[in-house]
Amino acid sequence: MKALFRKVDSYERLSQLAALEIKKKIQKGNQVNLGLPTGGTPIGMYKELVNDSQLDWWNVSTFNLDEYIEISIDHPESYQNFMNRNLFDHIDIDKFNIWFPHLVNDYDGMIDGLGGLDLTILGIGSNGHIAFNEPNSPFDSKTRIVDLDEQTIEDNARFFNSIDEVPTKAITMGLDTIMKSKEILLIAQGKKKLDIIQKAMFGDITEEIPASILQNHENLTILYCE
Ligand code: PGA
């Protein structure tokens, strides 16, 4: 494993550093394909990107990791809506370069055809999921519809009025697609996440902990704060 683990002293610093990795890719000026997450952790990173009015998005295509499938995209908690609210509505990106898995028949083929993901930002679920690849997802999985794990439904209930409103199904990029990303940056905050990161990075590589596959990635950085 060649992962770089970096603990920083604040969420603000984590957000700045994560945004910096994205900025560096964009500023090289070549076409760049970004894999992007939703959830609580990346909100600060998106804020940092939005606040950089000099950043030119003309050469960027984005591929979101996942989307709920039982709620309308107009629902405030749909991931498309989340992304518009936190990033896309505030930056000068060509709307034709914004992609979600539910919008494309062959998401994996499309990403491959465009040269693959250059940098993918990931969160990690308290059960070890990455994107919505829940425990026991096959390591060779592609984009597909999945049932959400009980733990994920509980964890995500904080974004809804009640746990009954949390969708039980989603469409997610698969582990195979994520692993093909040239670079991966995993961001995580809180003690609960440290436990699962330790299991995933130093324990057995097992489908029971989907994030453990990241041990096999050649260019992985983990940014963590308490
Ligand atoms: P969080 O979610 O950023 O809201 O903790 C991460 C995840 O579940 O992938």
Side-chain angles (χ1 to χ4, degrees):
M1 188 182 60
K2 292 187 184 146
L4 176 69
F5 180 85
R6 200 164 165 200
K7 184 178 173 197
V8 293
D9 56 13
S10 69
Y11 176 68
E12 195 186 2
R13 190 74 190 124
L14 177 140
S15 302
Q16 286 165 351
L17 289 173
L20 190 62
E21 288 309 307
I22 293 181
K23 289 183 199 182
K24 281 198 281 188
K25 281 272 170 306
I26 296 177
Q27 284 164 343
K28 275 190 182 162
N30 305 323
Q31 170 61 35
V32 48
N33 297 329
L34 297 175
L36 293 181
T38 50
T41 317
I43 289 177
M45 172 186 83
Y46 290 135
K47 211 175 260 173
E48 290 287 331
L49 292 171
V50 166
N51 286 343
D52 186 344
S53 56
Q54 301 298 310
L55 199 60
D56 196 340
W57 292 80
W58 68 272
N59 56 337
V60 182
S61 294
T62 64
F63 298 86
N64 263 85
L65 299 174
D66 42 23
E67 176 59 287
Y68 292 123
I69 62 166
E70 285 165 345
I71 54 178
S72 126
I73 59 155
D74 298 327
H75 190 288
E77 292 308 326
S78 83
Y79 286 169
Q80 220 171 323
N81 218 319
F82 171 100
M83 289 304 297
N84 289 340
R85 198 165 62 239
N86 286 290
L87 184 67
F88 299 140
D89 283 350
H90 313 286
I91 60 172
D92 189 18
I93 187 170
D94 188 333
K95 300 291 179 246
F96 290 106
N97 291 338
I98 295 172
W99 296 101
F100 282 80
H102 63 287
L103 300 178
V104 184
N105 278 336
D106 180 8
Y107 205 43
D108 305 281
M110 180 187 185
I111 292 170
D112 277 349
L114 290 168
L117 297 169
D118 297 297
L119 170 64
T120 298
I121 314 294
L122 296 176
I124 183 169
S126 60
N127 62 0
H129 76 202
I130 46 177
F132 274 140
N133 294 285
E134 300 287 22
N136 300 311
S137 294
F139 282 155
D140 62 357
S141 53
K142 312 271 193 253
T143 300
R144 68 207 185 287
I145 290 173
V146 295
D147 291 320
L148 297 184
D149 194 55
E150 281 302 314
Q151 183 64 56
T152 299
I153 292 171
E154 269 175 41
D155 289 348
N156 288 4
R158 69 191 196 277
F159 297 117
F160 293 82
N161 292 326
S162 84
I163 194 163
D164 301 330
E165 286 182 19
V166 184
T168 58
K169 285 182 188 296
I171 182 164
T172 184
M173 204 183 266
L175 294 169
D176 182 66
T177 319
I178 292 172
M179 283 298 284
K180 283 187 190 149
S181 179
K182 295 177 190 81
E183 228 175 297
I184 295 179
L185 174 64
L186 188 148
I187 54 176
Q189 180 188 24
K191 288 233 168 70
K192 201 167 153 191
K193 295 293 176 78
L194 190 57
D195 287 346
I196 189 65
I197 288 172
Q198 274 165 343
K199 274 191 201 137
M201 292 301 138
F202 302 108
D204 292 341
I205 300 179
T206 163
E207 289 178 350
E208 282 168 33
I209 302 181
S212 65
I213 188 68
L214 296 173
Q215 289 185 39
N216 290 338
H217 199 277
E218 293 291 313
N219 198 343
L220 168 71
T221 302
I222 299 168
L223 260 182
Y224 170 79
C225 70
E226 279 183 356

